[in-house]
Amino acid sequence: MTTKYDAIIIGAGHNGLVCAFYLARAGLKVRIVERRDVVGGAAVTEEFHPGFRNSVASYTVSLLQPKVIADMRLADHGYRVIERPISNFLPQEDGGYLKLGGGLERTQAEFRRFSAHDAEVLPAYYDALEGVAEVLRHLALKSPPNVGDGIRTLIAGALQGRKLAGLPIEAQRDVLDLFTKSARALLDGWFESEAVKAAFGFDAVVGNYASPDTPGSAYVLLHHVFGEVNGKKGAWGHSVGGMGNITRIMAKVCRDLGVEISLECPVDRVLVDGGKVAGVRLESGEEIAAPRVIANVGPKLLYGKMVDSADMPADFARRMKSFKAGSGTFRMNVALSELPRFTCLPEPGEHHQSGIIIAPTLDYMDRAFLDAKIHGWSKAPIVEMLIPSTIDDSLAPEGQHVASLFCQQFAPELPDGRDWDDEEDKAADTIIDTVEAHAPGFRASILGRQVLSPKGLERKFGLIGGDIMHGNMTLDQLWSARPVLGHGAYRGPVKGLYMCGAGTHPGGGVTGAPGHNCAHEVLADKGRYRRFHA
């Protein structure tokens, strides 16, 4: 074997980089091995058409933990996020539109065009959501109680449960609703306008291969609101230079601490000797020794391809085979000669700097999911479009633009034995047709496009089933049960094997939380940190 390290991290995505930072800062000798020729995982900026650059997969910022930003001193190295002037813009089926965001009073005024009742209850809805989101923020940077650890489980559960137990009964009811109800059931209890319900319900299907009628989908809605930008809770923004600028800075910070980052080094197998991790074997045949291997890949990829089934307990191996992954996401980047001109609001404006949502009702979202299950994708898919070049002129030539098209619902595996490699251009055309119906001339303005079906996302980024969350965000795969009960505190079933990716608590999105928490557990096992922190 080659030089021995204290820890090897599989994957140079943002969580792997965050984990490496904390370990290296504590004095460990760390090496990251990355399959691709660039750091960043799914948070990368690439040129996809001559002169046009964009965030290829992950495309917007909110959930990145302020503690991680501060600890890594990202702002000192050029990290900068520009907030959206409004959150979202939703063209409507009747030719109108709804804008969400820009402050409470402005949103209430917008809602009054649809429902006086909805405008009136909006502050209470925000308060209810924020109350539960604050609990999530409290838990995000804490390792879940690891069921099976006896007294340790009880202590950790008591410490983390104090925040929840301290909520008034009304807020505890909100927690129950958000963790168990469908998005529709939750929103029907608050609002009457279909447009307003769609504005909030969209977050429930982001990266979630499910209908807004699916029980538990309300939690996915909540997961997307517990972040912040520049100190503003719930805000979203654009990383100047694209998402790849974040991971480029993280990699620099890691290297400055002595972390070795090896690109084009795909891992074939996690090596186990005597029931303990011994290192990894690369596809090249090279073996690298380390007593700790930390996987920043999804559980399906790690336990399905990189760990020998003989090295796992039988029950664990069986449960990991049934671990649910597959988000139904279809991702496109397009180079544009001009801004899209929406029929309902044709002139350039703040709506071009927001999230442009083509999903006017919950029924529209439900049909898209049902169509995907039957046909593979809908003739009227859910589309979110962001145009970051409206505020970041480094991404496109002057006067031209790039747009991210983040689309749901597309079956992770097509029915009838069809293959995404044969079908993705047809699906891409359907997406463009959907935008064209609201912004005539959009198709003609496209100079080039990059298309990533669920299979394409898996091939390029290792996201099994195209799952941007590394696994479904359902109640049976959250907190102490992510990825499986008994291994929710970032430790795998083999001594020395850890997980630091989105397949662990608190889940998907560019948060840095799994990397932060995993590093603290590694250091706790090494005796560097106390295991429990309130």
Side-chain angles (χ1 to χ4, degrees), residues 453-481:
S453 68
K455 183 178 180 181
L457 288 167
E458 178 172 333
R459 181 164 48 221
K460 188 175 181 73
F461 299 110
L463 301 171
I464 301 299
D467 197 327
I468 62 171
M469 305 288 192
H470 284 195
N472 293 177
M473 301 282 288
T474 48
L475 191 57
D476 61 320
Q477 294 185 177
L478 291 177
W479 201 39
S480 290

Side-chain angles (χ1 to χ4, degrees), residues 371-512:
D371 282 353
K373 290 187 69 175
I374 298 170
H375 306 296
W377 68 86
S378 172
K379 292 181 180 178
I382 300 165
V383 179
E384 179 183 22
M385 178 162 60
L386 265 69
I387 311 174
S389 51
T390 56
I391 54 175
D392 184 353
D393 60 10
S394 71
L395 301 178
E398 185 176 356
Q400 299 179 320
H401 292 278
V402 294
S404 302
L405 300 177
F406 183 62
C407 313
Q408 324 289 323
Q409 303 280 352
F410 295 78
E413 293 186 10
L414 290 172
D416 306 322
R418 290 145 55 210
D419 192 302
W420 270 119
D421 286 344
D422 300 324
E423 303 280 338
E424 67 178 11
D425 281 335
K426 298 176 188 174
D429 287 340
T430 299
I431 292 166
I432 292 169
D433 288 342
T434 301
V435 179
E436 178 80 15
H438 294 273
F442 178 73
R443 178 182 290 279
S445 73
I446 296 175
L447 305 173
R449 71 187 193 185
Q450 179 185 39
V451 176
L452 291 168
S453 68
K455 183 178 180 181
L457 288 167
E458 178 172 333
R459 181 164 48 221
K460 188 175 181 73
F461 299 110
L463 301 171
I464 301 299
D467 197 327
I468 62 171
M469 305 288 192
H470 284 195
N472 293 177
M473 301 282 288
T474 48
L475 191 57
D476 61 320
Q477 294 185 177
L478 291 177
W479 201 39
S480 290
R482 190 167 184 86
V484 65
L485 205 63
H487 295 280
Y490 309 97
R491 295 171 185 81
V494 180
K495 184 176 176 57
L497 179 62
Y498 299 84
M499 298 164 283
C500 73
T504 61
H505 172 75
V510 179
T511 72

